[in-house]
DNA sequence: TCGACATGTCAACACGTGTTGGCCTACAGT
DNA sequence: ACTGTAGGCCAACACGTGTTGACATGTCGA
């Protein structure tokens, strides 16, 4: 807990642990309840501090969300994967990413009712998924459309499995997800319209 | 406006117009802002009546939502469609249904943050999409999984196009949607895992 | 004409929210 | 040892919410 070093550029503050606790609690609450239902008071209680601390460190709720929803999809470089396997590879990566990180769930839940969160989601897909897809497609003009289609299926899966919890989608194991959705993403990435 | 007839079973009440106005306003507000942001006061203002009328006619907010989110997908009988075309047909039907009815948007937006709405969504898919898919599949044991996959893609499309408004998804015209998503649903309905 | 009842309005309650400012406490620099 | 300041808590504010009950108005049957 005692932060020893790094006197060079930015001094390690004693409050860093608190800041981190707030951020973790915020992510969990935003992920579980969405933007408006996740209250500053509840987040503060989870982090075992006073609500006013949240304001002191993050200014207001909107900025807290912005900090909590910072997210990197960490997409792999699909150009180094055999072209016939990019769909399965991308599907597997996304599932793994979703299972172990609340952040994207927080973003998704919030984006449905909060304009700023929706904008963040659009930027995230434009700046992270977009280029990855573009690197894979011959005709650059097709890239946005293909990326959008991928988003369609990827977010739909996340929505039905983690948010709505449709039983038959929750029941799928990782292998089944890859086997079903992989070819879909493959077609959206490298295939043609109309089968 | 003057309701004349039907003295037989249930008398046409003078307040029916108001009830309908409330329901319409509620649907629009729930669809546009989700469950918690759609306020009784705003709905009442849209319907040009006092907020207390909403309570009188619908009891409380939860029951109002339940009444506003009553929804029928009106799925066509896919057994009468050539088997190779069920995917395209279902895709087209869903797009049309979505474009012209706020109700499903209201349900979707609300379901993300409201437990009761999520349960309603699960029931809707189980009772309406489930049987339609089951009638199409040879092995009945596969039906729930296939229906779930269809939900995955269908709701993902609705989410990205109508809620998140990803530009490249919004840009797709009806023909492109059917040409891209049709084969996907076709495979989920009648195809096999792993392409 | 009168009275019962449906329809609608007004003002208020109790509550939870984001947010603020004042106060206490403990540690680091001198 | 002393003091400035960062870290933290408490109480309160202003506001918007769902919800309630008392009161006014109009409509229709007797």
């Amino acid at each position: 807990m005692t932060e020893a070093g790094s006197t060079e550029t930015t001094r390690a503050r004693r409050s860093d642990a608190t800041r981190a606790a707030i951020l973790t609690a915020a992510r969990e609450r935003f992920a579980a309840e969405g933007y408006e239902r996740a209250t500053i008071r509840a987040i503060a209680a989870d982090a075992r501090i006073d609500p006013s601390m949240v304001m002191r460190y993050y200014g207001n709720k909107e900025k807290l969300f912005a900090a909590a929803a910072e997210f990197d999809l960490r997409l792999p470089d699909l150009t180094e994967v055999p072209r016939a396997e990019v769909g399965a590879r991308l599907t597997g990566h996304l599932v793994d990413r979703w299972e172990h990180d609340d952040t994207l769930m927080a973003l998704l839940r919030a984006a449905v009712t909060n304009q700023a969160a929706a904008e963040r989601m659009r930027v995230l897909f434009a700046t992270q998924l977009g280029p990855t897809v573009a690197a894979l497609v011959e005709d650059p003009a097709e890239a946005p459309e293909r990326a959008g289609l991928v988003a369609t299926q990827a977010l739909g899966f996340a929505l039905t499995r983690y948010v709505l919890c449709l039983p038959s989608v929750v029941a799928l194991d990782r292998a089944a997800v890859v086997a079903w959705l992989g070819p879909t993403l493959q077609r959206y990435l490298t295939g043609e319209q109309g089968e």
Side-chain angles (χ1 to χ4, degrees), chain A:
Chain A
M1 289 297 169
T2 48
E3 305 279 353
S6 80
T7 38
E8 49 272 23
T9 56
T10 49
R11 185 65 176 260
R13 283 162 304 193
R14 212 159 25 104
S15 62
D16 284 350
T18 304
R19 291 182 127 87
I22 293 174
L23 224 50
T24 306
R27 262 192 277 267
E28 283 171 9
R29 285 283 174 176
F30 282 131
E33 323 192 22
Y35 186 80
E36 18 272 336
R37 288 177 84 116
T39 70
I40 300 275
R41 282 169 163 88
I43 292 169
D46 288 355
R48 301 172 175 280
I49 45 115
D50 191 86
S52 62
M53 296 304 294
V54 179
M55 309 306 295
R56 169 152 358 189
Y57 289 140
Y58 292 96
N60 58 30
K61 188 178 183 179
E62 205 172 316
K63 289 182 193 164
L64 171 63
F65 176 78
E70 206 74 48
F71 191 68
D72 187 349
L73 278 172
R74 288 189 215 153
L75 292 174
D77 182 2
L78 294 178
T79 58
E80 299 191 353
V81 176
R83 192 167 176 77
E85 296 172 21
V86 292
R89 179 68 182 278
L90 181 56
T91 305
H93 177 83
L94 290 175
V95 174
D96 294 340
R97 205 75 190 74
W98 257 307
E99 298 280 357
H100 303 99
D101 195 331
D102 282 338
T103 313
L104 197 52
M105 277 272 299
L107 197 50
L108 178 55
R109 267 222 165 82
V112 171
T113 49
N114 185 272
Q115 273 305 318
E119 175 61 21
R120 219 150 217 288
M121 199 87 188
R122 284 190 286 269
V123 170
L124 184 139
F125 273 80
T127 61
Q128 297 191 35
L129 183 60
T132 302
V133 172
L136 221 62
V137 176
E138 297 95 11
D139 184 355
E142 286 182 351
E145 182 173 344
R146 293 184 182 272
L149 290 163
V150 170
T152 273
Q153 175 63 92
L155 287 176
F157 172 73
L159 176 74
T160 50
R161 171 181 265 228
Y162 303 113
V163 177
L164 301 183
C165 302
L166 299 191
S168 56
V169 177
V170 175
L172 298 170
D173 60 20
R174 204 196 113 107
V177 173
V178 173
W180 277 115
L181 302 197
T184 300
L185 294 197
Q186 181 75 37
R187 191 167 65 86
Y188 292 162
L189 288 169
T190 67
E192 295 299 317
Q193 279 188 28
E195 193 157 15

